[in-house]
Amino acid sequence: MPHSVLTRGRKMVARLTALAMVASIMVIGALPASAAPIDTSATCPSSTPSAGFVDIAAYSAAQQLAINCLADYEIAIGTSATTYSPQMDVSRWQMALFLTRQAEVHGLTLPSGASQGFTDIGAYPASTQVAINQLAQLDITMGTTATTYSPADPVSRWQMALFLTRLLDAAGYTLGNGVSQGFTDIGAYPASTQIAINQIAQAGVAEGFTATTFGPGQITSRVQMALFLTRTLAADNVVPAGQGFVVLSHNGGDEIITYDDNGTSRTVDYTPGTGFFVDGVAATRAAFAAAISTGDLIAWSGTVFRLTNVSVTGGLLNDVDIAGQTYDIVLPTGATIVDDADYTPGGQNVYMVDGVSTTVAGFEADINNGDTLAISGAGTVASPRMYHLTNQTVTGTATAAAGPDFSVRVGSGATLGVYTALGTDNITVGGTPVLLAAFNAALTNGDSITYSRKGGVATIALTNNAPTLVVGEALWGGAATNVVVAVSGTSTVTLDWTADNDGGAWDLIRVNGAVATVADFAAALTPGDVIRFRDSDAATSTSSLLELVNAPYSGTAADIDTVAGTLSVYSFGASGVELDTVEYDAVDPDLGLTLGVGGVLRWQVNGSSATMAQFETAVAFGEANFVGNVSVTKVGNDIVWNATTS
């Protein structure tokens, strides 16, 4: 999605609920056992531009992104045009500027900034004085006394907790109950401060230095504040203007929207909605439902739902079904379906191919996987629905090759197909015209394919390549002799580990670097493992290879049921696959985990041996919706579950 910047004078125009938590800790200091770091990827996407600060290169990627993100929202402007001064302490006057700028991004209207009686701020610029007074008007600061703000004092971590919880409260965010998060070093502080510290940890905004220490008296640096502030934005579901989740489908009867969350389909129910907006204008629930279509953007905060209509102005066609008169459109930069529809709906339709008007039959004769399609109009006589097809020549790598059927993985990572070659098509292999049978014999995964279709006839050029080594991640699922491997974005390959693509035995099988048998491979295989494979290819005298490297199957855990011995786990590894109920106190054949001879179930906490009860304690914490880190892998003949809390 195109990235645009929210300016300080603009109200927040898009919010969304962050449903996935990152599995890695992103700031200095360990995470308290009772909180998970909030996912800031929607608030601060990887496309966030650099602010040009030359003094942040030595910091982690997460810290640099947070700093650049604050600059992108114009919350922080640096100590100069090229420096951010990440290790400098945050003073209370700087905090006032940070927080008032951020309040606007949260959608708050700033008050007048009239004097609130602080007598120690007169030496500061007028803009700083206004910001301090606005914080007091918003009840985000009470001052250090009734008449002093102490602008030069540094901001301690306990003060930061109060500032941020009050800001979130003003923005309408529902804070946690403030129950103890296990910090043993905050007891000397007032009850309100202890609650704020616990609430900020519950929200995943701030972490402790250890599982039991928060360091309330420690001074907050500018790099730490960047992390705190971006996580506060994420807690309130703030995203850059014009961004949101792509709508995949809509069930109006149940008021359920299916949307794409970074390659994973999820749903949101807008039945409890109290506010609806379409393209920035307030709408009724009925008008909101009527406006939803695939490819639109959906964002929400609490019970307020915002829809941005997106016209499908182009995209690669995928899964074209001429008989069924349907198609998908995928994003040119990935494999996300943004439109799944038919091209002969009721209403007034106009068809064009390469800029020339045609009939639906002419449209069908030219439409093919890899072409681009732009759609406009409402389908009425006054506004006919226009299908603008542009024929494209597609070049990519053959995958899922099976006789005349093949898919093509293009450079963007999208896999287009399946296309079935016909005897009437113009086919060449290595530049030489061939019959369909010769094409079928020559076609293998990894070959280069160029094809286009016009007038019902495809032109297909095949170049035999030695099969490349495919590297991916084993996913949960598949038949007894199959493993599903994620190899590129959301693209997957179903791999038969008992035979290569020719149906014969694998020429070489390795497990963790050692030569192995099919039985060894099956015994070692668990989801999350790294799979490397290469098909055999007689045309290039290439032998087949199947290799497995054991890796933990890890992600975020939630909804633990200690009685049933189950928990839910989400977003494993790079695949983004979800696995709902997992048994951690028994062999789980659904997960593909089986004990070897003499093997046992084992549990760990932070990599150290633990009892099952200690494992449960590490992920339960008495909160039904707690999300923490968990991994499971096979070690020798044992199955080992590990909970990470720090």
Side-chain angles (χ1 to χ4, degrees):
M1 300 298 152
H3 179 68
S4 55
V5 180
L6 282 175
T7 62
R8 287 194 298 269
R10 186 186 305 166
K11 298 300 181 287
M12 196 262 303
V13 299
R15 298 182 178 182
L16 54 88
T17 298
L19 299 177
M21 300 290 182
V22 290
S24 59
I25 294 174
M26 300 203 309
V27 301
I28 300 171
L31 181 70
S34 53
I38 196 165
D39 181 9
T40 61
S41 59
T43 297
C44 301
S46 59
S47 58
T48 300
S50 169
F53 298 133
V54 298
D55 58 349
I56 64 173
Y59 290 82
S60 72
Q63 291 164 341
Q64 293 184 52
L65 179 59
I67 291 168
N68 287 324
C69 185
L70 278 196
D72 197 33
Y73 283 102
E74 297 188 15
I75 294 170
I77 56 176
T79 51
S80 76
T82 58
T83 58
Y84 178 77
S85 304
Q87 279 306 313
M88 181 184 290
D89 293 344
V90 177
S91 61
R92 285 173 58 87
W93 70 263
Q94 289 176 325
M95 192 69 185
L97 290 168
F98 280 142
L99 291 177
T100 50
R101 294 167 185 163
Q102 178 146 339
E104 286 192 287
V105 177
H106 283 275
L108 293 171
T109 299
L110 293 178
S112 65
S115 174
Q116 299 299 296
F118 298 130
T119 60
D120 59 347
I121 63 175
Y124 289 83
S127 59
T128 302
Q129 295 183 51
V130 168
I132 292 170
N133 288 321
Q134 286 171 330
L135 276 196
Q137 288 175 306
L138 289 169
D139 292 330
I140 294 174
T141 184
M142 310 299 176
T144 50
T145 72
T147 59
T148 59
Y149 178 75
S150 304
D153 285 357
V155 176
S156 62
R157 285 169 61 87
W158 70 264
Q159 290 176 327
M160 174 274 301
L162 287 167
F163 279 137
L164 296 186
T165 51
R166 292 168 183 166
L167 173 62
L168 284 170
D169 184 62
Y173 175 83
T174 302
L175 292 162
N177 55 13
V179 69
S180 172
Q181 301 298 290
F183 300 129
T184 59
D185 59 346
I186 64 175
Y189 290 82
S192 59
T193 302
Q194 295 183 49
I195 290 172
I197 291 171
N198 288 322
Q199 286 174 325
I200 215 69
Q202 286 176 310
V205 170
E207 303 165 310
F209 288 99
T210 72
T212 59
T213 59
F214 182 76
Q218 297 275 351
I219 302 303
T220 306
S221 67
R222 285 170 60 89
V223 64
Q224 291 172 328
M225 186 55 65
L227 290 156
F228 294 146
L229 292 180
T230 52
R231 288 180 174 180
T232 302
L233 290 171
D236 197 32
N237 307 315
V238 175
V239 296
Q243 293 199 5
F245 289 129
V246 177
V247 174
L248 298 181
S249 64
H250 167 235
N251 185 333
D254 294 332
E255 297 193 338
I256 298 294
I257 299 172
T258 303
Y259 62 94
D260 175 70
D261 179 11
N262 195 28
T264 299
S265 296
R266 303 185 190 276
T267 60
V268 60
D269 181 355
Y270 61 90
T271 303
T274 58
F276 300 92
F277 292 82
V278 175
D279 297 329
V281 179
T284 64
R285 178 186 278 115
F288 179 86
I292 298 170
S293 62
T294 53
D296 290 344
L297 297 181
I298 178 71
W300 65 94
S301 177
T303 60
V304 177
F305 292 82
R306 303 175 187 272
L307 184 71
T308 301
N309 275 293
V310 177
S311 297
V312 180
T313 58
L316 296 175
L317 286 176
N318 187 34
D319 291 334
V320 172
D321 183 345
I322 297 170
Q325 299 177 326
T326 64
Y327 58 85
D328 292 343
I329 291 183
V330 299
L331 293 175
T333 57
T336 301
I337 296 173
V338 297
D339 198 3
D340 181 4
D342 61 67
Y343 55 84
T344 57
Q348 187 75 22
N349 303 311
V350 175
Y351 305 93
M352 299 186 71
V353 176
D354 297 330
V356 178
S357 295
T358 186
T359 63
V360 66
F363 184 84
E364 289 180 342
D366 288 348
I367 190 171
N368 193 37
N369 298 316
D371 291 343
T372 56
L373 182 65
I375 306 170
S376 61
T380 65
V381 173
S383 176
R385 191 162 176 83
M386 304 283 292
Y387 293 90
H388 302 262
L389 180 71
T390 302
N391 274 125
Q392 304 288 350
T393 298
V394 178
T395 299
T397 304
T399 184
D405 297 339
F406 62 90
S407 298
V408 173
R409 180 171 293 118
V410 294
S412 67
T415 299
L416 306 179
V418 174
Y419 183 78
T420 301
L422 305 174
T424 54
D425 291 337
N426 298 319
I427 301 173
T428 60
V429 175
T432 302
V434 298
L435 298 177
L436 181 60
F439 173 82
N440 293 344
L443 177 65
T444 56
N445 292 326
D447 289 343
S448 294
I449 292 279
T450 297
Y451 76 92
S452 60
R453 184 171 180 269
K454 188 78 172 174
V457 176
T459 298
I460 305 172
L462 172 70
T463 301
N464 279 121
N465 296 328
T468 58
L469 185 68
V470 178
V471 181
E473 179 187 24
L475 305 185
W476 175 75
T481 60
N482 289 339
V483 59
V484 179
V485 182
V487 294
S488 176
T490 56
S491 298
T492 60
V493 174
T494 299
L495 180 66
D496 182 350
W497 71 68
T498 64
D500 64 18
N501 71 307
D502 292 327
W506 289 93
D507 296 311
L508 177 61
I509 301 176
R510 286 197 293 250
V511 173
N512 296 324
V515 176
T517 64
V518 168
D520 296 331
F521 182 93
L525 176 65
T526 57
D529 291 343
V530 176
I531 302 294
R532 299 184 176 96
F533 67 93
R534 182 184 63 225
D535 291 328
S536 61
D537 184 14
T540 56
S541 301
T542 303
S543 59
S544 61
L545 170 67
L546 176 64
E547 186 170 14
L548 179 147
V549 178
N550 281 122
Y553 196 25
S554 61
T556 54
D559 301 324
I560 187 167
D561 185 338
T562 56
V563 176
T566 62
L567 50 80
S568 297
V569 187
Y570 304 97
S571 300
F572 289 100
S575 66
V577 165
E578 293 185 6
L579 181 65
D580 286 329
T581 303
V582 187
E583 298 178 58
Y584 61 86
D585 64 351
V587 174
D588 194 332
D590 290 335
L591 190 59
L593 293 172
T594 55
L595 295 170
V597 177
V600 296
L601 283 165
R602 292 195 279 128
W603 296 272
Q604 295 178 347
V605 175
N606 297 325
S608 298
S609 181
T611 64
M612 186 176 72
Q614 290 169 328
F615 173 86
E616 291 175 344
T617 300
V619 292
F621 304 115
E623 292 186 50
N625 295 316
F626 168 77
V627 180
N629 304 327
V630 68
S631 67
V632 57
T633 190
K634 183 175 285 187
V635 178
N637 291 325
D638 298 346
I639 296 171
V640 180
W641 289 87
N642 180 64
T644 301
T645 63
S646 62

